Amino acid sequence: GGLAVAASLVVSGSKHTRPAEVVDRSDGTYAITFSLDRAGAWSLQASIDNVALPIKHMVNARVAPCAAADCVAVLLDSPGNTGVCGGTSTLRIQSVDLPKTGRLLGGQESVKVVMKPPSSTADGANSWVKPKQTLAAHQTSAARKDAEDLFSLKPVAVVWRETGVFEASLAWQVAGPHLVWVTLDDQSIVGSPITVQVGGGECVPRYCTLSGMVLKGEAMTWRESVLLVTSADRYGTPCVQGGRQVAASVHFSERPLDKSLMQCIPASDRGDGTYFIPLLFKKEGSWTLQVTVDGVDVLERPAKVNAVHGRVYAKQCVVAFSRSGAAETTFDLQDVNRESSAPATTCGEELVVYVQPELYAKGHLMSGEEAVTMRAVSPSGTVLRPACEKAPGSRFAARMTLLEAGTHRLHVAVDGEWVPGCPMDLLAEASTLSPTSCCISGLTNVVHRVGQPFKVEVTGRDAFGNRCRALETSNVSLAVEPLPHVMSHEMHKSPAGGIVVTITMLALGESHISVYINHLCLAARVPVLVRAGPLCLRTSVLSNNEEAITVTAGERNLVVLQARDAQQNPVREGGDELTAALLLEAGPQPVEVMDCNDGTYHFLIAHMTRAGPFKLRVSHNGDERVFEAECLAGPTHAGSCTLSGAEQKVRAGWRHTVRVERRDRFGNLLSRRAQAQGSAALTRFAAKGEGKGLSALNIALKDYATLSEDDHYGVDLEFTPHMMGTYTVSVWAISSGEKVSGSPFSITVGPGLPYAPCCSCTVRDKNAVSAPKEEKSSSWGRLLTKRAPPKPVTTRTILPAGAELVVDLHLRDKFGILAEADMAVDRVRVVCVNQENNESLDLENSAIGKNTMTFQGQLAQIGHYLLHLHAGGERSLLSGHQSTVEVCAGPVAQAEFVGLDALTLKECSTLELPVRCTDAWGNEGATGPALVSIDHFLTMSSWLSSKDTKKRYELTDPVDTGLKTRTANVTFPLAGRWKLMVEILVEGEFTELGDPKFKTLCEHLIDVLDDPNIQ
């Protein structure tokens, strides 16, 4: 293979070509694959290396037959599968893929077309019987009926076309639905049967029909009426296709020449033979109606339609306004939103509100039967309901007079429905200024201070009491008696449209002020009383001239404040409104303030229950001042005193302290400052402790005082129990006999904490013995006498390096009683100390018993170790049968020869080979069986067989000379090169010959010289 072979196919007599695919078979042959898209004669032309072959192969292509599932029937010139009675339609049977791929039919298929007219169609496609069925094949009545319908089927001739399709001509003789079945090789094609809706023939205008309420002769003005036109042929059969020019013309009968009342309305074609015409009558009266189809009148005489005014809906109405001296204004929701304005009127002026149709100006009127309601809501919430009456011009009107200035909400409803835009804003403006209705504020019933300005506001109002901005252009003046120089004032406009007068009185005493507007007196001789300067909190002082306030918890405390002005002059008059509050952690708490009317103010601070610092805030006219204060504890109250440190279980032989904290009846701690001021006296306490079968506790009471910031006083109860058991301790006040809160309380005395000198241990290997047995503890209630610790027995324990050391520790307290292990987990630890380098190793706590603890650890370095115990703050050597551990080297794991580099030997000589052995942890002096093997590389003599050349010598332990090397006496029988090896025996493993298996640790080569003296 490997040639460049190409091929193509060409239709004979044309330029239409199709490509071909060439496959190289690599054996000198080539396969050409192609696909043809049309029938006819084709020419196959091949080329090799762009050289055409002289021979052309002719290929005759035929159309492959199609199956029924690959065919479809298309009805030509009949949109929507419709037909016209008396006409014909062409039915084309083609391939489904014809529009996309151009696939054609072969012509050899058996195609049959059968049509069933509507006269025998009972239930559509289900009533069709295949053409191959006969009447004799049906025995039942139902099957016989289907067979009778078989003869109503009309076969249609089918013709083959050269274009690759089948065609059949269908003639429509009657109107109605027709069923058309198409079979290919006795199989129904896709979409069969086809339903064809056959309508009437050519549309005849005088046979067309009209329908609609307008034909009854009555219609509503300005309300759309619908007229439906149905086209039909000369037999009255409705047409199923549109396309006709249908229109309706109407004109007002009373004024037939008025073009504004003439309409020519085209119809909307629905495409199914029906036409829709919307009619709108804009004037009440008689109208003339005529309908034309293709320019021909449908009605022999024009129809008369009487249009009357109907009820107007709320959505068709708008609201218009009219007032005296102004033109009528119409507003709706869209206008208000667009212009951002609302209709305006003046208070006291009559306003007419009209409700009318939106097209009122074009003649759309109301029938008068509508129910129109209206209500207006003022800014203050007052509801005004004016009566709505019929007005000239067929509309409704309501008259109202608004007396309140501001925006009113207008609600208008027609037949219970809101008019668009409702609720609507209606703005009422104030009327003209009325001087007699103006008001003045800030002048009467006020006490004024010298040099302190105050403001007087004059507000303009109309006759109805509404604010009026016309005061800004009026003349406002003030007059003072008896002397004009005792007052200064300034005037300016206020944002609300009034006049604000700022007045400053310059002299003490009583003066009279008069106010005039446009020379009319508004207020005559108003008395004004002027007093001293105002109270100033910054300069006011406490009665004791101190900055801090001290109160006692539980008592009524009175704090006096002397008022002063800004110049620090005492104020001798009261009347100033002071407010006070305690600033506590829980939040501000108001304080009662009493005005003594002499310039002093009393603050009653009571119900203080919590001791500590706090603040007193005093406010006056927006000015505030905060005084530092402190609440001290009251007298000691035994029932409120608390106990701390009264645990339920204590240790025998250990000093225990229970603290009684001195508190008042509110639970406040007694502080050092309260004791120094004498606000709280010290109370003496007494205590005793007893137990069943136990000796009484010797309790010592000592007063204490802390020196921290939260200092307080109290009493400490100190005692040391020597017997195990339960004690009941009572604490009471000597003066009152009242017991302290929490008294009496119980104390359970148990074993003490582990004491290192009294503990013992057992040292073992991990794989030796399990955990030690628990010892029985002493009985309760027995007097504990301090026993001497057990005498240590220092027996040396030898362990190989890497072994797991286990120490079983027996815990005892300082009295020799077994201690509980669960309470001493964090207080006990065992440390192994190497005597040679003083390195220590903490053993890990692996198990906890009732009175025992087990520690373990791995010792990898050889040496002598001492076991130290840390317990209860004491440190001592562990006592027991074994407290000293000696770690020696482990089994041989590595080895090397020593001093063989510069050694010269002769045959038959014996050499003592030194070998340094180490264990897995690198410790020298490893023990265990080890051998030195020698192997001759080449046999020099025939009398020495190869099997005898390999010999093994056992290593001997080193002599106690300080060196840790082991030796072996080796004899070399022959000269030559020998291989030295150190081997160990692998237990339980054997070679293929059944000999024991050895593991080589190290190797060394040595040369042995020939000795001429040996024959």
Side-chain angles (χ1 to χ4, degrees):
L3 298 179
V5 179
S8 62
L9 291 97
V10 182
V11 179
S12 300
S14 69
K15 296 182 180 181
H16 182 69
T17 61
R18 291 285 291 176
E21 182 181 358
V22 181
V23 179
D24 188 356
R25 296 183 176 178
S26 301
D27 58 353
T29 62
Y30 300 85
I32 300 176
T33 304
F34 53 87
S35 175
L36 305 179
D37 57 356
R38 65 176 60 178
W42 294 73
S43 175
L44 174 63
Q45 179 66 48
S47 63
I48 299 178
D49 294 336
N50 296 327
V51 178
L53 297 181
I55 301 176
K56 294 184 179 180
H57 184 70
M58 301 304 296
V59 179
N60 186 21
R62 293 184 294 106
V63 178
C66 290
D70 299 333
C71 297
V72 67
V74 180
L75 197 62
L76 303 180
D77 301 331
S78 297
N81 289 345
T82 59
V84 178
C85 184
T88 60
S89 298
T90 301
L91 182 68
R92 175 180 293 175
I93 298 93
Q94 62 186 21
S95 171
V96 177
D97 300 333
L98 179 62
K100 295 183 179 180
T101 62
R103 183 180 180 183
L104 305 177
L105 300 180
Q108 63 273 22
E109 297 85 357
S110 175
V111 179
K112 297 180 181 180
V113 178
V114 179
M115 182 178 63
K116 188 174 184 179
S119 59
S120 59
T121 301
D123 54 354
N126 296 330
S127 64
W128 174 66
V129 183
K130 293 183 178 180
K132 286 189 175 182
Q133 295 177 339
T134 60
L135 184 61
H138 303 277
Q139 301 299 330
T140 62
S141 60
R144 188 176 294 108
K145 181 180 179 181
D146 295 339
E148 291 174 356
D149 292 340
L150 174 67
F151 294 98
S152 64
L153 302 177
K154 296 181 179 181
V156 181
V158 181
V159 181
W160 164 253
R161 302 298 183 185
E162 292 298 332
T163 57
V165 297
F166 288 91
E167 291 184 354
S169 179
L170 304 178
W172 315 116
Q173 299 179 357
V174 295
H178 291 62
L179 296 179
V180 180
W181 285 271
V182 181
T183 60
L184 188 147
D185 296 336
D186 297 335
Q187 299 291 331
S188 297
I189 67 173
V190 178
S192 179
I194 303 173
T195 302
V196 182
Q197 186 69 30
V198 179
E202 185 70 19
C203 176
V204 178
R206 67 188 184 91
Y207 289 99
C208 295
T209 59
L210 305 178
S211 60
M213 296 297 295
V214 71
L215 296 178
K216 295 181 179 180
E218 293 184 358
M220 297 291 182
T221 59
W222 295 97
R223 188 173 301 176
E224 188 178 82
S225 301
V226 178
L227 182 64
L228 184 64
V229 181
T230 303
S231 61
D233 60 1
R234 60 179 179 172
Y235 301 103
T237 303
C239 299
V240 296
Q241 296 180 357
R244 300 296 177 180
Q245 299 293 330
V246 180
S249 60
V250 292
H251 63 274
F252 193 56
S253 301
E254 299 179 2
R255 288 186 287 179
L257 300 180
D258 190 353
K259 294 183 179 180
S260 62
L261 299 177
M262 293 182 182
Q263 300 183 43
C264 184
I265 307 171
S268 299
D269 190 355
R270 293 185 174 183
D272 57 352
T274 61
Y275 303 86
F276 172 81
I277 304 177
L279 302 176
L280 182 64
F281 301 97
K282 301 181 180 180
K283 188 174 183 61
E284 184 179 16
S286 177
W287 292 75
T288 302
L289 171 65
Q290 181 61 272
V291 179
T292 61
V293 177
D294 293 337
V296 179
D297 294 340
V298 175
L299 301 175
E300 295 181 0
R301 291 181 302 175
K304 297 295 183 178
V305 181
N306 184 25
V308 297
H309 292 307
R311 296 177 68 92
V312 178
Y313 300 125
K315 62 182 180 180
Q316 298 176 321
C317 297
V318 294
V319 179
F321 301 88
S322 176
R323 58 181 182 175
S324 59
E328 182 177 319
T329 306
T330 303
F331 279 84
D332 58 8
L333 181 63
Q334 290 76 14
D335 293 334
V336 174
N337 291 339
R338 179 175 60 253
E339 300 177 4
S340 300
S341 62
T345 184
T346 304
C347 292
E349 183 182 14
E350 186 180 41
L351 178 68
V352 182
V353 182
Y354 295 98
V355 180
Q356 60 191 25
E358 184 178 4
L359 301 177
Y360 178 77
K362 296 182 180 180
H364 189 188
L365 306 178
M366 302 182 73
S367 64
E369 299 177 358
E370 296 84 359
V372 180
T373 58
M374 187 182 305
R375 76 171 186 266
V377 182
S378 65
S380 62
T382 304
V383 179
L384 178 64
R385 301 181 185 272
C388 297
E389 300 176 352
K390 296 180 182 178
S394 297
R395 59 179 178 175
F396 285 81
R399 300 177 180 274
M400 64 177 68
T401 301
L402 304 180
L403 303 179
E404 184 178 352
T407 302
H408 295 67
R409 303 289 286 177
L410 182 62
H411 302 259
V412 181
V414 177
D415 291 335
E417 296 183 2
W418 298 116
V419 173
C422 290
M424 184 180 296
D425 291 339
L426 184 61
L427 180 61
E429 298 178 350
S431 183
T432 58
L433 178 67
S434 175
T436 58
S437 300
C438 296
C439 61
I440 183 171
S441 61
L443 185 60
T444 60
N445 299 328
V446 179
V447 178
H448 303 287
R449 304 288 182 179
V450 174
Q452 181 180 2
F454 62 95
K455 295 182 180 179
V456 176
E457 183 176 2
V458 181
T459 306
R461 297 185 182 273
D462 60 3
F464 305 101
N466 300 310
R467 282 182 174 269
C468 182
R469 303 185 67 92
L471 187 63
E472 299 176 358
T473 59
S474 303
N475 184 15
V476 180
S477 60
L478 277 76
V480 61
E481 296 176 0
L483 298 176
H485 66 274
V486 298
M487 180 190 72
S488 65
H489 67 278
E490 296 178 358
M491 293 186 182
H492 60 275
K493 299 177 182 180
S494 66
I499 300 296
V500 177
V501 183
T502 303
I503 302 175
T504 304
M505 303 304 294
L506 306 178
L508 293 175
E510 185 177 358
S511 302
H512 297 84
I513 298 178
S514 301
V515 182
Y516 298 89
I517 299 178
N518 294 335
H519 305 289
L520 295 178
C521 183
L522 175 61
R525 293 182 57 81
V526 178
V528 177
L529 181 62
V530 182
R531 295 183 179 180
L535 181 146
C536 180
L537 287 179
R538 180 177 54 83
T539 58
S540 299
V541 295
L542 300 175
S543 59
N544 53 1
N545 293 327
E546 294 183 0
E547 292 294 332
I549 302 172
T550 303
V551 298
T552 303
E555 297 181 0
R556 295 174 61 87
N557 302 275
L558 189 64
V559 179
V560 180
L561 178 69
Q562 175 62 54
R564 293 186 179 182
D565 59 7
Q567 289 75 26
Q568 296 187 0
N569 298 317
V571 178
R572 302 305 179 183
E573 298 175 353
D576 290 302
E577 185 178 355
L578 298 181
T579 59
L582 299 179
L583 302 182
L584 306 177
E585 294 182 0
Q589 180 179 351
V591 176
E592 181 182 355
V593 181
M594 293 182 295
D595 187 359
C596 297
N597 295 323
D598 58 354
T600 60
Y601 298 86
H602 292 183
F603 303 98
L604 181 60
I605 302 177
H607 308 293
M608 290 291 293
T609 58
R610 184 172 181 179
F614 67 96
K615 295 180 180 180
L616 175 63
R617 181 182 62 193
V618 181
S619 303
H620 174 250
N621 294 336
D623 189 14
E624 293 184 355
R625 182 178 178 183
V626 178
F627 296 92
E628 299 293 334
E630 182 179 5
C631 180
L632 304 178
T636 305
H637 185 258
S640 301
C641 295
T642 57
L643 299 173
S644 62
E647 291 86 356
Q648 296 181 354
K649 192 172 183 180
V650 299
R651 300 297 176 185
W654 292 74
R655 178 181 295 177
H656 190 68
T657 302
V658 176
R659 176 160 292 182
V660 180
E661 297 177 344
R662 294 182 180 269
R663 297 179 182 269
D664 59 5
R665 61 191 181 93
F666 302 105
N668 299 313
L669 291 172
L670 180 60
S671 64
R672 189 186 312 170
R673 184 176 178 185
Q675 177 63 24
Q677 293 187 359
S679 60
L682 293 179
T683 301
R684 300 184 62 82
F685 291 94
K688 68 177 181 178
E690 297 176 347
K692 187 177 180 180
L694 303 175
S695 60
L697 290 177
N698 184 14
I699 303 177
L701 283 76
K702 298 181 179 180
D703 291 335
Y704 74 91
T706 61
L707 300 179
S708 59
E709 294 181 358
D710 55 344
D711 55 341
H712 57 274
Y713 282 85
V715 178
D716 284 341
L717 310 180
E718 296 182 356
F719 55 90
T720 304
H722 294 282
M723 298 183 68
M724 293 188 296
T726 302
Y727 291 87
T728 301
V729 181
S730 300
V731 185
W732 66 93
I734 298 178
S735 59
S736 62
E738 184 179 5
K739 292 185 178 180
V740 175
S741 176
S743 173
F745 59 91
S746 298
I747 294 178
T748 302
V749 181
L753 294 175
Y755 186 62
C758 296
C759 296
S760 60
C761 71
T762 302
V763 183
R764 58 185 175 88
D765 195 352
K766 181 178 180 181
N767 299 325
V769 189
S770 59
K773 298 180 179 180
E774 299 287 347
E775 297 185 16
K776 296 183 179 180
S777 60
S778 302
S779 60
W780 294 91
R782 182 173 58 85
L783 180 62
L784 301 179
T785 58
K786 193 169 183 180
R787 301 185 301 180
K791 296 181 179 180
V793 180
T794 56
T795 306
R796 186 177 64 175
T797 301
I798 301 177
L799 296 176
E804 287 287 342
L805 173 66
V806 179
V807 178
D808 299 320
L809 185 62
H810 302 270
L811 303 178
R812 293 181 181 273
D813 59 5
K814 64 174 60 177
F815 297 98
I817 304 302
L818 292 177
E820 297 179 1
D822 56 349
M823 301 187 66
V825 176
D826 299 332
R827 301 173 60 91
V828 177
R829 64 189 185 99
V830 177
V831 181
C832 293
V833 180
N834 194 334
Q835 292 183 337
E836 297 180 0
N837 52 14
N838 290 330
E839 293 183 356
S840 61
L841 172 67
D842 283 358
L843 299 185
E844 182 181 357
N845 186 1
S846 60
I848 300 175
K850 182 178 180 181
N851 306 110
T852 61
M853 298 177 67
T854 302
F855 296 83
Q856 67 179 22
Q858 190 179 41
L859 301 178
Q861 186 177 1
I862 62 175
H864 295 273
Y865 291 85
L866 289 181
L867 300 181
H868 292 266
L869 172 64
H870 297 261
E874 299 289 341
R875 173 184 174 186
S876 65
L877 291 175
L878 276 176
S879 61
H881 298 288
Q882 297 172 339
S883 59
T884 303
V885 179
E886 180 180 353
V887 179
C888 60
V892 177
Q894 297 178 357
E896 61 177 347
F897 293 99
V898 181
L900 298 183
D901 295 336
L903 185 63
T904 302
L905 298 178
K906 293 184 178 181
E907 57 180 336
C908 296
S909 60
T910 300
L911 176 63
E912 183 176 336
L913 293 177
V915 179
R916 182 183 293 110
C917 298
T918 57
D919 57 7
W921 304 93
N923 298 315
E924 296 184 2
T927 60
L931 303 174
V932 173
S933 302
I934 61 174
D935 190 3
H936 198 260
F937 268 41
L938 183 62
T939 302
M940 303 297 297
S941 175
S942 60
W943 59 269
L944 188 60
S945 62
S946 60
K947 183 178 182 180
D948 297 335
T949 57
K950 189 169 184 179
K951 295 184 178 182
R952 292 184 173 87
Y953 302 89
E954 184 176 358
L955 279 173
T956 59
D957 293 334
V959 184
D960 191 9
T961 59
L963 300 177
K964 295 183 179 181
T965 57
R966 302 171 66 179
T967 58
N969 293 325
V970 180
T971 302
F972 299 91
L974 294 177
R977 174 160 291 185
W978 291 79
K979 180 170 67 173
L980 303 182
M981 295 173 290
V982 178
E983 299 176 329
I984 58 175
L985 181 62
V986 181
E987 297 182 0
E989 296 188 14
F990 301 91
T991 61
E992 296 180 358
L993 301 178
D995 298 332
K997 191 173 182 180
F998 292 88
K999 178 182 179 182
T1000 302
L1001 300 181
C1002 66
E1003 296 180 355
H1004 187 78
L1005 298 179
I1006 188 171
D1007 294 326
V1008 179
L1009 303 178
D1010 187 12
D1011 191 357
N1013 297 325
I1014 298 177
Q1015 296 293 328

